[in-house]
Amino acid sequence: KFFFIFIFLNKKNMKQGFIQNDRTWKSENLSSITFLNGDPIIESKSDNDWFQNGRKGIPTFKKIPSSDGGIDVCLYNYYCFNDERGLIPDGFRISTTDELQSLLLNEQGEFINQYKIPTNTGYITKGGQHSLTEFGAYWGCNLDGIYPRYILLKNREKDPVTSGSDSKACGYAVRLISKPIGDDRDFIKKVSLF
């Protein structure tokens, strides 16, 4: 099993970033269409494309038009992060449930979403349908470095974060955070498809 993240938040500039607790967050969701070595990631342009790529374990992404006229959102399947060509830049990793929640709440536990993480990315089912567009759905990881997980961050003060597990062939957005100094774990491990 592995996990994914649904999250309710907005946007900024991926190339810049902001600092929180001595860690750097990317200011926009991951939007790369190539692996680190320059190879293109296959873009699924239809529901069937997404389904077939996921069924075969092929890394793929799908662009979802922004609902507010901003930058299109890229949603990725798990295989994009499990590929030897790499997708996450050096020094960064996928954020955890707690880290994402920390962007939504202040020290008193009040809902603020200070950094405007997108809250309407939705997610792509393994069949290729774009669903739950009222939620922000994000890949995440466990601190033990074994599985990514999904987090659903809801725009409310009580219980703003829900996590769960789903097929690796589903598609979620990604927000990156810098690794703590001395932490070289990649937080991704090859797991069987379900």
Side-chain angles (χ1 to χ4, degrees):
K1 276 191 174 181
F2 68 96
F3 306 89
F4 61 91
I5 302 169
F6 272 119
I7 177 172
F8 252 108
L9 307 137
N10 209 296
K11 62 178 180 263
K12 277 192 178 179
N13 194 321
M14 181 72 179
K15 294 181 181 178
Q16 299 175 5
F18 54 88
I19 306 295
Q20 184 195 48
N21 298 327
D22 299 322
R23 308 275 299 287
T24 300
W25 285 89
K26 293 291 189 180
S27 295
E28 283 186 352
N29 289 345
L30 184 67
S31 59
S32 178
I33 59 174
T34 63
F35 290 106
L36 295 179
N37 70 351
D39 288 350
I41 304 169
I42 294 174
E43 180 178 2
S44 291
K45 297 188 176 181
S46 70
D47 292 359
N48 188 58
D49 285 348
W50 185 276
F51 171 73
Q52 294 299 332
N53 286 326
R55 186 175 65 84
K56 298 172 184 175
I58 296 173
T60 191
F61 76 97
K62 194 172 187 180
K63 285 186 179 179
I64 305 299
S66 170
S67 62
D68 60 5
I71 299 172
D72 292 346
V73 175
C74 288
L75 303 183
Y76 301 88
N77 66 11
Y78 176 79
Y79 301 108
C80 290
F81 310 104
N82 204 19
D83 191 284
E84 62 184 12
R85 292 168 287 184
L87 182 58
I88 308 300
D90 287 344
F92 285 85
R93 63 166 171 76
I94 298 172
S95 54
T96 67
T97 306
D98 289 343
E99 289 164 344
L100 281 167
Q101 181 172 260
S102 73
L103 296 184
L104 296 175
L105 306 178
N106 62 19
E107 292 181 0
Q108 290 73 43
E110 299 167 329
F111 186 88
I112 53 171
N113 191 14
Q114 177 181 1
Y115 299 106
K116 307 297 183 186
I117 309 299
T119 60
N120 56 357
T121 63
Y123 86 106
I124 300 174
T125 67
K126 64 181 180 181
Q129 295 80 32
H130 186 219
S131 302
L132 289 181
T133 55
E134 70 274 21
F135 298 112
Y138 286 72
W139 285 110
C141 66
N142 289 342
L143 286 176
D144 61 11
I146 296 178
Y147 305 120
R149 67 168 31 183
Y150 87 83
I151 303 170
L152 175 61
L153 297 182
K154 298 172 286 296
N155 193 9
R156 65 188 189 192
E157 290 186 15
K158 185 177 181 181
D159 300 325
V161 178
T162 301
S163 62
S165 61
D166 207 338
S167 169
K168 290 190 295 184
C170 288
Y172 301 94
V174 174
R175 183 59 65 104
L176 301 179
I177 186 173
S178 62
K179 292 181 179 180
I181 295 174
D183 189 343
D184 295 325
R185 292 175 294 177
D186 61 9
F187 291 84
I188 296 292
K189 179 179 179 181
K190 292 180 182 295
V191 292
S192 60
L193 176 65
F194 69 95

